[in-house]
């Protein structure tokens, strides 16, 4: 059964569940979000009864907002406990300590941040909410001089994002401090099948503008990226699955490969693929592989076939996060046409209400490898060139 919730459900997702008869739980939000006629709906009571009758069955959520529903209505199941193992970054680090024993981490209550002494903490480090989403509240601290400034920024951002997401999705009451994990970063959509075997559905390389950048601007997949990493990443995902003992369980994983070749997890997001229906939909645009359907029917991709004819092509998801430093409430307009003119082939543009969320939209593109410069340009842009404001700032 699939769950849908705010903030966003794509047309591709709606079409997928309707055309393939995937049952959607008829929560209040599901009834209001505009699913297509003909979508198979099951009542909340039916969903609970099905969960009581079956130990293992595919559950998927478009948004982590639905995690609260699962925690409330599936207390008889181990699913809420499995979700929390991944969603709570402190619990996740403790669970995986045996396979990543040298990785430093520490949890700190938000009210204790301004009193924290850095003598025993390895620098540089990353600090982020223990339960977080979408790079919100994530900062890199390179030295002790930056610390108090960072604390002030954290407290400021907490006020700005308060109420955007439920506590199950973004909880800023505690933070986790982790040693910096260096190296090339990747994002993976995957699932564990009914026997717990890992199945990789997509691999994206996450490109950053600089060493201090922690944004979610550009994610790229290609034939080369998939082929070079598929076997190693499958083994990596499998090790985590053994520790968590999960079955019929979708995940979105962020990891890095350090200079010595070691793979280390940044985080594992449970019960979904990339947020806002992004990486899964982009995978279909790139390769014709529908991750929602593959998970629901427990299919395994034939990557040799899917990658045929994809040589020399880069398929990118571009997150147009509001990096202007200007609050969305005073931005009069965003020039999407000017934005699109900077790309040789746009596959899809999704506009977002930037007055409600700190993002202007999402862009899917296809780029020739030799034209990587167009991706570099948007990566380095603060997006101020595309906005018009209501008043002088």
């Amino acid at each position: 059964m699939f769950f849908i919730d705010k903030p966003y459900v794509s047309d591709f997702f709606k079409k997928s569940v309707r055309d393939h008869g995937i049952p959607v739980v008829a929560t209040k939000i599901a009834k209001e979000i505009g699913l297509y006629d003909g979508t198979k709906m099951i009542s909340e009571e039916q969903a609970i009864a099905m969960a009581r009758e079956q130990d293992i069955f595919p559950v998927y959520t478009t948004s982590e907002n639905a995690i609260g529903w699962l925690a409330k209505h599936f207390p008889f199941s181990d699913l809420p406990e499995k979700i929390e193992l991944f969603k709570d970054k402190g619990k996740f680090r403790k669970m995986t300590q045996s396979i990543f024993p040298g990785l430093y981490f520490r949890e700190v209550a938000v009210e204790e941040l301004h009193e924290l002494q850095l003598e025993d903490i390895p620098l540089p480090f990353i600090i982020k909410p223990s339960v977080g989403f979408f790079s919100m509240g994530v900062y890199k601290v390179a030295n002790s001089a930056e610390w108090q400034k960072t604390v002030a920024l954290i407290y400021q951002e907490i006020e700005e994002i308060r109420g955007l997401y439920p506590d199950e999705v973004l909880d800023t009451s505690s933070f986790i401090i982790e040693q910096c994990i260096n190296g090339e970063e990747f994002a993976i959509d995957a699932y564990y099948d009914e026997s717990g075997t890992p199945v990789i559905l997509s691999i994206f390389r996450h490109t950053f503008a600089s060493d201090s950048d922690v944004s979610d601007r550009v994610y790229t997949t290609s034939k080369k990226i998939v082929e070079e990493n598929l076997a190693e990443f499958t083994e990596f995902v499998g090790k985590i699955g053994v520790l968590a003992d999960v079955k019929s369980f979708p995940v979105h994983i962020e990891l890095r490969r350090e200079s010595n070749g070691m793979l280390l997890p940044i985080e594992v997001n449970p019960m979904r693929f990339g947020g806002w229906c992004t990486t899964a939909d982009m995978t279909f645009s790139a390769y014709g592989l529908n991750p929602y359907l593959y998970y629901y029917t427990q299919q395994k991709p034939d990557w040799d076939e899917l990658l045929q004819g994809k040589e020399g092509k880069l398929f990118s998801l571009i997150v147009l996060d509001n990096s202007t430093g200007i609050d969305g409430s005073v931005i009069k307009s965003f020039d999407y046409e000017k934005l699109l003119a900077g790309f040789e082939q746009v596959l899809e543009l999704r506009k977002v209400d930037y007055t409600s969320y700190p993002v202007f939209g999402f862009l899917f593109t296809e780029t020739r490898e030799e034209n990587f410069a167009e991706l570099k340009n948007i990566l380095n842009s603060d997006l101020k060139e595309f906005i018009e404001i209501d008043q002088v700032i």
Side-chain angles (χ1 to χ4, degrees):
M1 67 187 75
F2 280 25
F3 290 82
I4 62 174
D5 212 312
K6 296 177 180 179
Y8 179 83
V9 180
S10 70
D11 290 339
F12 176 70
F13 178 88
K14 293 176 184 179
K15 187 174 186 298
S16 295
V17 294
R18 181 198 65 187
D19 292 354
H20 299 289
I22 299 173
V24 176
V25 180
T27 60
K28 182 176 183 294
I29 297 296
K31 295 173 184 176
E32 299 172 349
I33 212 158
L35 290 174
Y36 295 157
D37 291 342
T39 300
K40 182 179 181 180
M41 305 289 287
I42 60 174
S43 70
E44 294 180 77
E45 292 74 22
Q46 285 177 292
I48 295 168
M50 288 171 61
R52 286 186 180 277
E53 293 169 4
Q54 297 176 255
D55 290 333
I56 302 173
F57 56 96
V59 177
Y60 182 85
T61 66
T62 61
S63 165
E64 292 185 4
N65 288 14
I67 289 175
W69 190 98
L70 292 168
K72 179 180 178 181
H73 294 95
F74 285 6
F76 50 84
S77 165
D78 68 354
L79 187 58
E81 178 185 349
K82 299 296 186 185
I83 291 171
E84 193 172 359
L85 277 177
F86 294 105
K87 187 59 188 168
D88 187 309
K89 294 176 176 62
K91 290 185 177 181
F92 174 73
R93 288 299 183 209
K94 291 172 185 175
M95 177 182 73
T96 57
Q97 206 164 18
S98 62
I99 53 176
F100 310 112
L103 189 62
Y104 176 89
F105 69 94
R106 174 179 175 179
E107 286 189 90
V108 183
V110 65
E111 61 270 14
E112 297 174 357
L113 290 178
H114 67 283
E115 300 175 352
L116 188 67
Q117 302 300 310
L118 302 188
E119 285 81 359
D120 299 325
I121 300 176
L123 290 164
F125 63 79
I126 297 291
I127 182 167
K128 53 190 174 182
S130 294
V131 178
F133 178 64
F134 208 49
S135 291
M136 292 180 178
V138 180
Y139 293 89
K140 182 175 182 178
V141 179
N143 53 63
S144 57
E146 292 182 0
W147 176 237
Q148 291 307 317
K149 180 181 177 182
T150 300
V151 172
L153 289 171
I154 288 173
Y155 288 149
Q156 177 184 331
E157 188 172 4
I158 287 173
E159 292 304 314
E160 292 173 351
I161 64 180
R162 191 182 301 278
L164 274 183
Y165 299 95
D167 287 346
E168 292 85 2
V169 177
L170 178 64
D171 184 354
T172 55
S173 63
S174 69
F175 281 71
I176 185 166
I177 292 173
E178 302 174 338
Q179 73 177 67
C180 278
I181 301 174
N182 299 309
E184 197 170 21
E185 182 170 319
F186 298 87
I188 302 169
D189 286 335
Y191 73 89
Y192 299 95
D193 68 14
E194 293 179 347
S195 64
T197 302
V199 179
I200 302 289
L201 297 174
S202 70
I203 300 174
F204 288 80
R205 183 182 62 221
H206 184 184
T207 307
F208 294 94
S210 66
D211 288 342
S212 61
D213 184 16
V214 293
S215 69
D216 290 322
R217 180 57 59 81
V218 176
Y219 292 84
T220 300
T221 184
S222 70
K223 173 183 171 73
K224 183 178 180 181
I225 289 170
V226 173
E227 288 181 339
E228 288 183 349
N229 298 289
L230 182 62
E232 187 180 16
F233 287 4
T234 300
E235 181 181 0
F236 175 86
V237 176
K239 290 179 180 178
I240 294 174
V242 169
L243 291 177
D245 188 25
V246 285
K247 299 178 176 66
S248 275
F249 197 92
V251 287
H252 178 73
I253 300 176
E254 296 174 10
L255 62 88
R256 283 196 172 192
R257 180 187 286 112
E258 294 198 309
S259 57
N260 61 4
M262 176 174 284
L263 297 179
L264 290 173
I266 298 170
E267 60 185 33
V268 179
N269 299 285
M271 305 312 298
R272 65 169 176 87
F273 303 136
W276 290 68
C277 296
T278 50
T279 51
D281 292 23
M282 183 68 234
T283 297
F284 183 80
S285 295
Y287 306 120
L289 184 165
N290 186 333
Y292 308 117
L293 178 61
Y294 270 60
Y295 167 58
Y296 182 70
T297 58
Q298 304 278 289
Q299 293 183 65
K300 294 177 172 60
D302 182 344
W303 281 109
D304 289 339
E305 180 178 344
L306 291 166
L307 295 174
Q308 286 184 16
K310 305 299 180 180
E311 295 82 3
K313 298 179 181 180
L314 303 175
F315 300 96
S316 298
L317 160 65
I318 298 166
V319 182
L320 302 168
D321 56 305
N322 186 350
S323 54
T324 65
I326 300 170
D327 191 88
S329 63
V330 298
I331 295 176
K332 183 179 180 180
S333 65
F334 186 94
D335 193 339
Y336 293 99
E337 292 304 315
K338 181 179 178 181
L339 170 80
L340 299 185
F343 296 91
E344 63 181 24
Q345 186 168 352
V346 174
L347 303 177
E348 185 176 351
L349 168 67
R350 296 176 176 176
K351 300 177 183 179
V352 171
D353 179 4
Y354 52 79
T355 63
S356 298
Y357 295 96
V359 60
F360 296 108
F362 300 89
L363 188 63
F364 296 176
T365 66
E366 179 181 327
T367 306
R368 290 170 294 118
E369 284 184 348
E370 57 265 32
N371 192 28
F372 182 79
E374 72 174 21
L375 299 176
K376 188 68 173 173
N377 289 340
I378 195 66
L379 185 65
N380 291 326
S381 174
D382 61 9
L383 304 185
K384 285 182 179 178
E385 64 199 280
F386 303 110
I387 66 168
E388 181 181 351
I389 57 177
D390 275 331
Q391 61 192 57
V392 177
I393 301 298

